[in-house]
Amino acid sequence: MNDQATALDTLMERMVAEYVARNQAAGVLKAMLDETGVGFWPVIDHVTIRTHDIDRGAEPFVALGYGYDETLQYDDWYAKVYRKPGYPGLFVDQAYPDERGKTSIIPGWVNKYGDKVFHHVAVRVEDIEQAVARLKQNGVVFAGNIVGEPGGHLRQIFSSPEMVDGQPFTVLELAERHRGYLGFLPPQADSLMKSSAPR
């Protein structure tokens, strides 16, 4: 068990460090959190991988103790959520492999960046408006508006995507949760997906 936990810590730490190194918004937030002594890791709500095959994409995490929790379905893509106590949720998404998936932005993203990097990391915030305002003061730009009603179970926003060769790469998500809600709300997730799509 200890070896498995050590291996999972190593995998997560490496992937989060790679993500932060290549995402300006996450770097700004990490610097702010490091300044207070909190650090980035303790505030991670969930991490997201994009892939052509969810089960294969999740395999390294499943092998280290993550277990399947739920499936979420959208018009042209779907996701499976995996959980392990003490670790951030793992959200793995892909386009449908049939005609429904033809309009999804996920395959193009995976073809360009692969499925061994996080598309986004979501951090948990107490007050999403205040977090957005403070991050904007530090140069972070957001894509779209906050999704979710004030006082609702889940409110979210994506930063504007980092661009690589003119194509969206990673985003930072802020997530405000209430009443112990740990799930994902399908209409909101789809709206967030669209906010980070190529324009």
Side-chain angles (χ1 to χ4, degrees), residues 123-135 142 145-151 154-158 173-178 192:
V123 296
R124 187 103 168 248
V125 299
E126 186 173 54
D127 181 326
I128 199 165
E129 282 90 0
Q130 183 180 8
V132 167
R134 291 296 309 278
L135 286 165
F142 288 88
N145 298 311
I146 296 167
V147 177
E149 294 300 315
L154 176 61
R155 304 181 71 209
Q156 302 159 275
I157 191 169
F158 275 172
E173 178 184 335
L174 304 183
E176 178 188 307
R177 294 182 178 275
H178 297 281
L192 285 168

Side-chain angles (χ1 to χ4, degrees), residues 16-38:
V16 167
E18 289 171 0
Y19 162 82
V20 170
R22 299 177 72 186
N23 184 282
Q24 184 260 341
V28 167
L29 179 58
K30 183 178 185 314
M32 293 169 73
L33 290 164
D34 287 351
E35 179 71 22
T36 65
V38 172

Side-chain angles (χ1 to χ4, degrees), residues 25-181:
V28 167
L29 179 58
K30 183 178 185 314
M32 293 169 73
L33 290 164
D34 287 351
E35 179 71 22
T36 65
V38 172
F40 192 74
W41 177 255
V43 300
I44 297 175
D45 180 78
H46 65 273
V47 295
T48 297
I49 295 172
R50 288 182 161 175
T51 183
H52 292 305
D53 179 335
I54 288 177
D55 295 328
R56 190 178 59 75
E59 168 50 36
F61 296 89
V62 171
L64 295 174
Y66 268 81
Y68 168 79
D69 184 52
E70 65 178 321
T71 298
L72 304 167
Q73 299 186 5
Y74 307 91
D75 290 343
D76 59 5
W77 63 286
Y78 72 105
K80 289 184 181 178
V81 178
Y82 300 82
R83 298 195 186 277
K84 178 174 172 62
Y87 290 86
L90 174 67
F91 190 96
V92 186
D93 59 30
Q94 75 168 73
Y96 288 111
D98 55 25
E99 280 303 308
R100 293 175 295 170
K102 296 283 190 235
T103 56
S104 175
I105 62 174
I106 295 172
W109 192 95
V110 176
N111 289 342
K112 183 164 182 62
Y113 304 114
D115 63 0
K116 304 284 187 280
V117 296
F118 291 137
H119 168 259
H120 72 269
V121 170
V123 296
R124 187 103 168 248
V125 299
E126 186 173 54
D127 181 326
I128 199 165
E129 282 90 0
Q130 183 180 8
V132 167
R134 291 296 309 278
L135 286 165
K136 282 182 174 178
Q137 288 171 355
N138 284 275
V140 175
V141 178
F142 288 88
N145 298 311
I146 296 167
V147 177
E149 294 300 315
H153 283 81
L154 176 61
R155 304 181 71 209
Q156 302 159 275
I157 191 169
F158 275 172
S159 66
S160 290
E162 292 296 317
M163 303 299 282
V164 175
D165 301 326
Q167 295 298 310
F169 179 37
T170 61
V171 295
L172 173 70
E173 178 184 335
L174 304 183
E176 178 188 307
R177 294 182 178 275
H178 297 281
R179 294 177 291 287
Y181 183 73

